[in-house]
Amino acid sequence: MPSRSAVRGALLTLTATSAVLAALTVPATAASGATATTDATAATSPDRPHPAGAYTITIDGANAFPESIAADNRYVYTGSIEDGTLYRGRVGSRTLEPFLPAGQDGRTQATGIKTDGDRLLVAGAFTGQFFVYTDTGTLVARYTVPDTGEPTLVNDAAVTPDGDVYITDSFRAVVYKIPAAEVHSPATGTQRTLRVAYHLPDYVAGQSNGNGVTTGPDGKSLIIGYWYSGALYRLALADGSIRRIDAPALPSADGIARRGDTLYIDRSVQNEVDTVRLSEDGTRAALVSQRSYPGADTTTGVAVSGDRLLVTNSQMNNYLYGAPLESPVFTVQSLPLR
């Protein structure tokens, strides 16, 4: 595992300087037609009441730094980019407990997390690894990126209706693929190399590029968000063609969740979740609303769970700069979907 200082250095490379972070903070009024559902400027005030129907889920871990979140019909999962611990709790629970310990199977960092039936999928961030587990915690396979000598940030994943898994790498202009047959193969702990399926355009060296990813409503495409530029791209799986979606730029777009033709995109610098509506053909998207909540703290992960929206308060900015924590308790916010 890279040392914490090395990881912080890599993260600093992603954002370049705090001035860049500030430059990426776009006012909510910048996108026409957007409606701010909660005052983002007051979002971190502990004295403000939470939005109606919202509640906080506590993570039972001192170094949680929860970068991503996933949910199925039984469990909610998150993981630590600091040490790779995986946490889970029953849907509706107010606490997520340690599920798989730090370092197990060489998993020393965790970013994107997804579920697929009885499989749990975990991206390994700067370690260049990706893990497939059963829902009982048995390792199915561990993957590593091709040894090209390039920096890597294995960041997020999406599962298509036929069970194939596609994975973004924010430092490499590629999308990796794990076929469904491998995802659901026997749990033997096999070691494999990630295979490049597609190449992506418009990568800026030294920045976090392709980040959040989800399937398109047609099930035959991917929607990929770029953290640095805030652009959205649609990748057609049949032929690999890629086009930029005609949509407002959403700099610091991190995790993406989708229900129907609606995307929920959390923006880590702005501490908000934006609701974006896709056109029927997936070539355009409109910003519908921007929302935050009291205590929002570097919102890097988002998932839809029933009629709830789950958002991680990762405190990634504190991890990035080694600053004192905003709160000694790491949390996930549960919000009404609408």
Side-chain angles (χ1 to χ4, degrees):
M1 169 185 174
S3 67
R4 177 165 177 161
S5 61
V7 171
R8 188 176 300 124
L11 287 167
L12 284 167
T13 300
L14 298 184
T15 54
T17 65
S18 57
V20 171
L21 290 177
L24 288 177
T25 304
V26 180
T29 55
S32 61
T35 302
T37 57
T38 303
D39 182 3
T41 62
T44 57
S45 169
D47 298 325
R48 287 173 57 95
H50 284 250
Y55 62 85
T56 299
I57 301 170
T58 299
I59 302 171
D60 184 14
N63 297 304
F65 294 100
E67 199 278 339
S68 182
I69 191 162
D72 57 23
N73 58 3
R74 294 182 300 160
Y75 294 106
V76 174
Y77 297 89
T78 191
S80 170
I81 193 173
E82 162 76 342
D83 62 19
T85 302
L86 300 181
Y87 301 87
R88 80 175 184 183
R90 288 282 183 181
V91 170
S93 171
R94 300 300 177 97
T95 305
L96 303 183
E97 304 284 351
F99 171 51
L100 299 180
Q104 179 179 323
D105 307 311
R107 191 194 63 258
T108 54
Q109 296 176 355
T111 44
I113 297 179
K114 291 292 186 295
T115 60
D116 179 28
D118 62 353
R119 294 295 189 258
L120 176 65
L121 314 171
V122 184
F126 299 98
T127 67
Q129 298 186 100
F130 191 88
F131 302 85
V132 179
Y133 288 98
T134 68
D135 57 3
T136 60
T138 302
L139 181 66
V140 175
R142 181 174 70 176
Y143 292 79
T144 56
V145 297
D147 185 11
T148 65
E150 301 170 275
T152 180
L153 173 49
V154 180
N155 206 326
D156 205 357
V159 184
T160 62
D162 60 8
D164 293 333
V165 175
Y166 292 91
I167 302 159
T168 57
D169 189 323
S170 297
F171 278 174
R172 301 185 183 185
V174 300
V175 173
Y176 306 111
K177 176 183 177 179
I178 303 177
E182 289 184 13
V183 174
H184 293 278
S185 62
T188 59
T190 304
Q191 307 294 303
R192 303 181 189 271
T193 300
L194 286 171
R195 293 187 289 275
V196 173
Y198 303 104
H199 293 267
L200 297 176
D202 305 331
Y203 258 50
V204 178
Q207 298 298 336
S208 179
N209 296 278
N211 192 324
V213 59
T214 187
T215 55
D218 59 4
K220 301 176 182 179
S221 61
L222 301 177
I223 307 296
I224 301 172
Y226 280 31
W227 189 94
Y228 182 69
S229 68
L232 293 173
Y233 291 81
R234 180 181 182 273
L235 189 159
L237 295 173
D239 61 8
S241 60
I242 302 169
R243 65 177 296 171
R244 181 167 176 167
I245 295 172
D246 182 8
L250 302 174
S252 87
D254 212 304
I256 302 177
R258 180 183 63 81
R259 173 164 288 178
D261 62 358
T262 301
L263 304 176
Y264 300 94
I265 303 175
D266 56 359
R267 300 174 64 194
S268 52
V269 174
Q270 286 76 11
N271 277 323
E272 68 185 34
V273 181
D274 291 358
T275 301
V276 175
R277 190 74 39 78
L278 291 167
S279 65
E280 186 173 353
D281 63 2
T283 63
R284 303 181 311 280
L287 179 59
V288 176
S289 67
Q290 297 168 301
R291 64 193 295 194
S292 191
Y293 50 88
D297 195 340
T298 323
T299 51
T300 56
V302 62
V304 176
S305 178
D307 61 354
R308 311 292 298 181
L309 200 62
L310 305 178
V311 185
T312 60
N313 297 312
S314 69
Q315 299 197 60
M316 194 64 66
N317 56 330
N318 304 82
Y319 176 71
L320 172 63
Y321 296 108
L325 296 177
E326 300 289 342
S327 168
V329 179
F330 289 93
T331 63
V332 171
Q333 194 72 14
S334 178
L335 303 168
L337 194 58
R338 295 180 178 84

